[in-house]
C-alpha cells in the first residue's frame, strides 16, 4: 500500500467544452495504465449518449501512478466531472471525495459562467484550487487576457496557472508536478474505526450493486462485514479495489483511498449516495456529513407505451436512480396512459438524458408528458399547496398563485448584447445588473420565471450569440403570477396527459401551437377530428383534421340532382354515426411533438 503522504485526490472541473475529458485522456495515457491500442478519445465517457453528444454526464474516477521528480512514487486519484449546469449535482458529489480541484479554463473562451459556479462549489468544500489554461495550441488562444480574467473574475493567483494543451499533451509533465506539490495529501487515521463516504454507485447484473467510496478513516478489506449507517443493513465484503479504467482488485482500502466495494447487495433501494459505510466489528460512532438533498426544478410524468410493461419500467427506474442520485420519482396514473411515474429533474437536458437512457440501457419504450415547474397555489380558506402536475390543479376559485423565479447570470461578447437583452425581455426577465468584465465581455444578471427558461431559452441563447454566450442560474424564490390550466380536447374529450399549466397572457399562443402540432401528427380518419385548447369551458384555440372522404358520386352519371343529394345525405349520416362511436388513437409522436419547441421562422 502507498503511504498516505504519497496520495493525492483531485477532480477536474470546468465549463462545458473546456477540455476536461481530453485532459483526463492525456493523464491516463501518460501513466500508461492501458495499452496504446486500447486508448481512445474520451475514454472515461463510457455511455453511448456521452460519446454521441460529446458531453460528460457521469463523473468517473481513476487511479494512476506517477513517479515524481523528488524520486517518490505517488498514487493520484482523480475524477472527471460533467460541465453542464444540469449535472452540477454530479460535480458537487465528485468534489466531496477530493482535496484539490483543477479548474480548467479555455484559452480561447476565457472564464465562463459555469467556471465561476464550479469554483464556488470547490471553495465550499475547502479544496485547494489550481487554475489550468487549456487549448494553448490554438491560434486564437489569448493567454494574457485569460490570466487577467483569472485574477479579476475568479480572484485566484494568475501566476499559479498551469499552461497545457490537452490535445497535444504539451505541459502535462509540469501539471503532474504541480498536482503533487500544490495539492495536500489526504488526512485520516488508518487505525481508527472505518468511516467511508459513498459518492456513487451503479448496478451490475452479475455482481449486484457496486459501491464507489472514499475512505476517510480506518481500513476495509475483503472478508469484513460492513454496515450501512443510514439503515443498519450488514453485508460481507466480497471484493475491494481501485479504478484503473477497469476494476483492479487490491484486497484492501485504507484512509485516503478512493475505490469500490462489491458485497452482494441485491436490493437497489438499500444503498444511498451520501451514506457512510463502517464495519460491524468496530463501528464508527458517527456518520460523515452527506450531500445536501437535491431539489428538482422540472417535473414530467413517464408512462410505458404498453401498460403491461409497468413493472419492468419500475425496476429500470430503481436501477437508474442508483446511478443518478438526482432523479426523484413517485407513482402516478393517467386516464389516457394508465400507470406511470411522476419524476423530478434538474433541467431539460437531464430529462432528455433520462429518456434516452431508459430507451437504450433498459429497452423501455416510454411517453413523457409536457414538462412543468412546481407552482404554489392558495384556495379560499385553505393553506398554500404545491402543484407541479396539471392533473392536480384545483377546479375551484384560486385566491393567489406563485411561480419559482431564478437569478440568471449570462456572460456574452458585447456584440450580441442587444439580441440577448431582447430575448430575456420576451421571457419576462427583469435586468438587475450589467457589468463589463473587460472590453469584449459583459456579464448580465436577470431575474426571470423558471418556466420561461424551460423550453427553448438555452437553444435561442446559443443561436443568438453564435454559441459564445454562457448561462448559469440558481432558483431563488417564489413570486406572484397569474396561472391557468390549458386543457387539450380531441373531439370534445379532454386528454389529461396533454394538459399544461401556463401564465395567462401566454395561454392563447401556447394552446394554438399545441393544436397546430397535434394536427400535423394525428392521421386522418373517416370523420372530422376537432382539436381544441380550452381554459375551463372557454375554447381559446382550434384546429380541424378533415375527414377522408370516399367519392360516392363516382358512379352517378347525369340524371336529376336529387339522386346525387340522396347519396351525399346518406354518407353524411354515416359519418355522424362514426363520429359518435369513433375514438381517436394518439400516436407517441403526438406527445413528443408537443414537447419540442418549433424553430422561429
Amino acid at each position: 500500500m502507498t503511504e498516505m503522504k504519497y496520495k493525492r485526490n483531485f477532480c477536474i472541473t470546468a465549463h462545458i467544452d473546456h477540455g476536461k475529458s481530453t485532459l483526463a485522456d492525456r493523464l491516463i495515457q501518460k501513466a500508461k495504465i492501458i495499452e496504446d491500442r486500447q486508448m481512445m478519445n474520451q475514454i472515461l465517457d463510457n455511455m453511448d449518449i456521452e460519446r454521441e453528444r460529446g458531453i460528460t454526464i457521469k463523473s468517473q474516477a481513476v487511479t494512476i501512478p506517477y513517479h515524481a521528480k523528488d524520486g517518490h512514487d505517488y498514487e493520484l486519484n482523480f475524477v472527471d466531472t460533467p460541465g453542464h449546469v444540469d449535472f452540477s449535482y454530479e460535480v458537487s458529489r465528485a468534489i466531496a471525495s477530493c482535496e484539490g480541484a483543477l479548474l480548467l479554463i479555455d484559452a480561447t473562451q476565457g472564464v465562463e459562467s459555469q467556471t465561476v459556479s464550479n469554483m464556488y462549489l470547490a471553495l465550499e468544500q475547502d479544496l485547494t484550487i489550481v487554475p489550468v489554461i487549456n487549448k494553448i495550441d490554438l491560434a486564437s488562444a489569448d493567454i494574457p487576457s485569460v490570466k487577467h480574467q483569472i485574477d479579476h473574475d475568479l480572484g485566484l493567483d494568475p501566476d499559479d496557472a498551469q499552461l497545457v494543451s490537452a490535445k497535444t499533451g504539451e505541459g502535462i509533465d509540469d501539471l503532474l508536478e504541480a498536482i503533487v506539490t500544490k495539492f495536500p495529501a489526504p488526512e485520516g487515521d488508518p487505525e481508527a474505526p472505518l468511516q467511508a463516504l459513498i459518492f456513487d454507485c451503479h448496478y451490475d447484473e452479475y455482481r449486484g450493486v457496486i459501491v464507489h467510496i472514499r475512505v476517510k478513516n480506518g481500513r476495509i478489506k475483503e472478508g469484513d462485514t460492513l454496515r450501512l449507517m443510514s439503515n443498519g443493513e450488514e453485508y460481507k465484503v466480497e471484493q475491494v479495489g481501485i479504478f484503473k479504467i477497469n476494476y483492479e482488485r487490491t484486497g484492501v482500502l485504507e484512509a485516503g483511498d478512493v475505490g469500490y466495494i462489491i458485497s452482494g447487495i441485491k436490493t437497489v433501494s438499500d444503498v444511498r449516495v451520501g451514506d457512510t459505510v463502517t464495519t460491524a466489528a468496530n463501528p464508527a460512532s458517527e456518520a460523515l456529513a452527506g450531500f445536501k438533498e437535491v431539489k428538482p426544478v422540472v417535473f414530467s410524468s413517464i408512462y410505458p407505451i404498453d401498460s403491461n410493461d409497468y413493472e419492468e419500467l419500475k425496476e429500470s427506474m430503481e436501477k437508474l436512480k442508483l446511478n443518478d442520485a438526482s432523479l426523484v420519482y413517485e407513482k402516478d396514473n393517467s386516464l389516457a396512459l394508465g400507470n406511470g411515474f411522476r419524476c423530478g429533474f434538474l433541467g431539460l437536458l437531464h430529462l432528455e438524458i433520462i429518456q434516452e437512457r431508459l430507451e437504450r440501457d433498459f429497452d423501455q419504450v416510454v411517453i413523457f408528458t409536457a414538462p412543468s415547474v412546481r407552482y404554489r397555489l392558495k384556495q379560499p380558506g385553505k393553506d398554500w399547496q404545491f402543484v407541479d402536475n396539471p392533473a392536480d390543479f384545483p377546479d375551484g376559485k384560486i385566491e393567489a398563485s406563485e411561480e419559482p423565479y431564478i437569478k440568471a447570470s449570462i456572460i456574452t461578447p458585447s456584440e450580441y448584447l442587444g439580441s440577448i437583452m431582447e430575448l430575456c425581455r420576451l421571457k419576462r426577465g427583469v435586468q438587475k445588473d450589467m457589468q463589463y468584465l473587460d472590453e469584449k465581455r459583459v456579464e448580465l444578471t436577470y431575474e426571470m420565471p423558471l418556466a420561461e427558461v424551460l423550453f427553448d431559452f438555452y437553444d435561442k441563447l446559443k443561436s443568438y450569440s453564435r454559441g459564445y454566450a454562457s448561462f448559469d442560474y440558481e432558483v431563488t424564490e417564489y413570486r406572484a403570477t397569474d396561472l391557468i390550466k390549458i386543457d387539450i380536447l380531441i373531439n370534445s374529450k379532454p386528454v389529461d396527459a396533454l394538459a399544461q399549466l401556463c401564465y395567462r397572457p401566454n395561454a392563447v399562443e401556447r394552446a394554438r401551437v399545441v393544436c397546430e402540432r397535434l394536427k400535423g401528427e394525428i392521421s386522418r380518419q373517416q370523420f372530422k377530428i376537432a382539436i381544441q385548447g380550452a381554459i375551463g369551458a372557454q375554447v381559446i384555440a382550434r384546429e380541424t383534421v378533415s375527414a377522408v372522404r370516399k367519392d360516392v358520386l363516382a358512379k352517378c352519371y347525369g340524371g336529376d340532382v336529387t339522386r346525387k343529394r340522396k347519396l351525399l345525405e346518406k354518407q353524411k349520416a354515416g359519418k355522424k354515426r362514426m363520429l359518435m362511436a369513433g375514438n381517436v388513437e394518439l400516436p407517441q409522436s403526438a406527445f413528443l411533438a408537443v414537447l419540442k419547441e418549433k424553430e422561429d421562422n
Side-chain angles (χ1 to χ4, degrees):
M1 293 293 291
T2 311
E3 278 184 64
M4 201 185 295
K5 63 182 177 185
Y6 299 130
K7 289 175 186 170
R8 297 288 182 271
N9 298 321
F10 65 97
C11 60
I12 306 173
T13 163
H15 190 81
I16 313 159
D17 283 341
H18 281 205
K20 296 175 293 298
S21 298
T22 313
L23 180 65
D25 289 351
R26 292 296 82 74
L27 293 174
I28 288 166
Q29 206 169 7
K30 203 82 185 166
K32 294 189 166 46
I33 57 171
I34 63 169
E35 294 174 28
D36 284 345
R37 65 190 170 86
Q38 292 175 309
M39 190 68 201
M40 55 184 172
N41 288 340
Q42 281 90 38
I43 188 154
L44 295 182
D45 292 347
N46 51 19
M47 279 195 274
D48 291 345
I49 309 176
E50 292 181 312
R51 296 191 157 278
E52 281 167 26
R53 291 179 178 238
I55 57 174
T56 302
I57 295 166
K58 286 292 301 168
S59 48
Q60 296 286 354
V62 182
T63 302
I64 59 170
Y66 173 61
H67 185 72
K69 287 179 181 171
D70 61 10
H72 291 290
D73 286 321
Y74 285 82
E75 193 177 89
L76 310 180
N77 296 312
F78 72 86
V79 186
D80 175 27
T81 66
H84 203 283
V85 63
D86 282 16
F87 305 114
S88 54
Y89 185 65
E90 277 289 324
V91 181
S92 70
R93 287 172 21 209
I95 283 175
S97 64
C98 304
E99 281 83 36
L102 295 179
L103 187 63
L104 237 62
I105 300 151
D106 187 325
T108 61
Q109 305 270 15
V111 170
E112 297 195 65
S113 49
Q114 273 306 103
T115 319
V116 181
S117 58
N118 283 341
M119 182 187 78
Y120 284 125
L121 276 177
L123 287 174
E124 277 172 23
Q125 298 275 358
D126 291 336
L127 263 60
T128 306
I129 298 174
V130 171
V132 180
I133 301 175
N134 189 19
K135 307 193 185 181
I136 57 170
D137 57 311
L138 295 180
S140 53
D142 186 353
I143 294 165
S145 161
V146 175
K147 284 194 168 182
H148 171 70
Q149 290 171 29
I150 289 173
D151 184 23
H152 181 264
D153 301 356
L154 301 178
L156 299 172
D157 184 356
D159 299 332
D160 267 358
Q162 301 292 316
L163 303 181
V164 302
S165 164
K167 190 175 171 187
T168 63
E170 186 184 342
I172 297 293
D173 289 331
D174 294 341
L175 178 63
L176 285 164
E177 273 303 310
I179 288 167
V180 166
T181 52
K182 292 183 176 172
F183 287 150
E187 293 175 356
D189 178 6
E191 305 308 322
L194 175 73
Q195 275 182 312
L197 181 72
I198 300 178
F199 69 91
D200 203 356
C201 309
H202 75 272
Y203 187 80
D204 184 293
E205 282 189 20
Y206 305 106
R207 299 162 162 185
V209 179
I210 297 179
V211 183
H212 302 200
I213 59 164
R214 158 71 204 270
V215 186
K216 298 280 187 186
N217 288 308
R219 60 167 62 87
I220 185 163
K221 52 187 187 297
E222 291 172 10
D224 286 355
T225 303
L226 64 85
R227 179 181 296 167
L228 302 174
M229 289 189 83
S230 64
N231 55 15
E233 293 283 333
E234 296 186 359
Y235 298 96
K236 191 166 191 281
V237 179
E238 294 167 7
Q239 191 177 330
V240 171
I242 55 174
F243 306 103
K244 284 202 175 172
I245 310 297
N246 300 316
Y247 299 116
E248 185 168 297
R249 192 169 184 167
T250 57
V252 63
L253 290 173
E254 58 179 41
D257 283 337
V258 174
Y260 70 91
I261 309 174
I262 299 173
S263 53
I265 303 173
K266 294 285 183 290
T267 38
V268 173
S269 52
D270 282 356
V271 187
R272 265 192 33 246
V273 168
D275 195 3
T276 303
V277 174
T278 187
T279 49
N282 184 12
S285 53
E286 57 183 32
L288 297 163
F291 305 107
K292 57 177 186 282
E293 276 296 301
V294 61
K295 288 192 174 66
V297 293
V298 179
F299 297 85
S300 173
S301 297
I302 304 181
Y303 300 98
I305 282 189
D306 181 349
S307 52
N308 296 330
D309 294 341
Y310 173 73
E311 285 301 322
E312 273 182 43
L313 178 63
K314 186 178 168 187
E315 278 179 30
S316 304
M317 293 291 288
E318 279 186 4
K319 289 172 186 172
L320 199 53
K321 162 85 180 159
L322 184 73
N323 195 234
D324 183 350
S326 51
L327 175 67
V328 180
Y329 67 90
E330 58 188 24
K331 285 182 181 173
D332 188 26
N333 70 336
S334 137
L335 294 172
L337 299 168
N339 286 334
F341 295 97
R342 187 75 184 163
C343 304
F345 306 94
L346 299 185
L348 273 193
L349 178 69
H350 189 201
L351 183 150
E352 274 185 47
I353 297 298
I354 293 291
Q355 182 175 2
E356 282 199 36
R357 288 187 69 184
L358 279 173
E359 288 174 359
R360 289 179 177 203
D361 302 354
F362 301 102
D363 293 331
Q364 295 296 315
V365 191
V366 290
I367 290 177
F368 275 69
T369 60
S372 150
V373 298
R374 180 168 274 173
Y375 296 97
R376 277 174 54 170
L377 305 176
K378 184 164 176 37
Q379 289 180 278
K382 292 186 181 175
D383 288 338
W384 284 95
Q385 66 187 89
F386 284 103
V387 170
D388 59 61
N389 193 343
D392 300 335
F393 193 78
D395 295 330
K397 188 174 184 300
I398 292 170
E399 258 181 28
S401 54
E402 293 183 344
E403 65 179 330
Y405 265 66
I406 60 169
K407 180 182 170 195
S409 149
I410 301 167
I411 296 179
T412 172
S414 47
E415 67 220 65
Y416 308 116
L417 195 59
S419 53
I420 286 176
M421 288 169 79
E422 176 61 15
L423 171 66
C424 293
R425 188 189 66 75
L426 289 173
K427 296 289 186 184
R428 298 192 279 144
V430 178
Q431 189 177 329
K432 285 296 171 192
D433 193 13
M434 177 167 134
Q435 287 184 342
Y436 275 83
L437 300 172
D438 49 39
E439 56 276 8
K440 288 182 185 168
R441 296 180 319 131
V442 188
E443 180 172 19
L444 295 167
T445 307
Y446 271 87
E447 286 178 350
M448 55 198 340
L450 176 63
E452 295 288 340
V453 177
L454 274 195
F455 281 99
D456 58 346
F457 179 80
Y458 195 72
D459 296 342
K460 282 186 174 164
L461 180 75
K462 285 293 182 196
S463 62
Y464 286 4
S465 67
R466 299 190 182 171
Y468 283 110
S470 63
F471 169 65
D472 189 28
Y473 67 86
E474 56 178 331
V475 180
T476 50
E477 59 185 346
Y478 276 82
R479 293 192 192 170
T481 185
D482 189 2
L483 187 68
I484 50 97
K485 175 184 174 184
I486 302 174
D487 281 312
I488 303 296
L489 314 173
I490 293 184
N491 276 353
S492 307
K493 293 177 187 166
V495 181
D496 58 351
L498 291 176
Q500 298 188 14
L501 299 176
C502 178
Y503 177 59
R504 190 183 291 271
N506 296 349
V508 175
E509 174 64 22
R510 176 69 66 84
R512 219 184 67 235
V513 168
V514 172
C515 290
E516 274 175 18
R517 290 198 197 145
L518 284 174
K519 182 184 179 184
E521 293 297 331
I522 294 175
S523 51
R524 291 166 67 186
Q525 310 278 343
Q526 295 280 349
F527 49 87
K528 258 189 204 167
I529 302 170
I531 305 167
Q532 295 167 308
I535 301 173
Q538 179 193 5
V539 174
I540 55 172
R542 170 172 175 141
E543 291 285 339
T544 308
V545 180
S546 51
V548 182
R549 288 188 54 180
K550 182 183 173 191
D551 187 0
V552 289
L553 305 181
K555 61 178 187 286
C556 222
Y557 302 102
D560 190 6
V561 72
T562 51
R563 288 182 62 201
K564 294 184 179 178
R565 195 169 293 145
K566 182 178 160 195
L567 287 166
L568 288 171
E569 290 294 335
K570 194 173 170 189
Q571 183 183 35
K572 197 170 169 187
K575 291 212 174 292
K576 206 168 180 181
R577 269 203 315 279
M578 276 175 120
L579 177 60
M580 288 160 69
N583 268 332
V584 181
E585 282 285 308
L586 274 184
Q588 188 196 2
S589 57
F591 291 94
L592 298 178
V594 174
L595 295 187
K596 295 277 181 251
E597 281 294 306
K598 213 174 208 168
E599 287 302 310
D600 287 354
N601 296 325

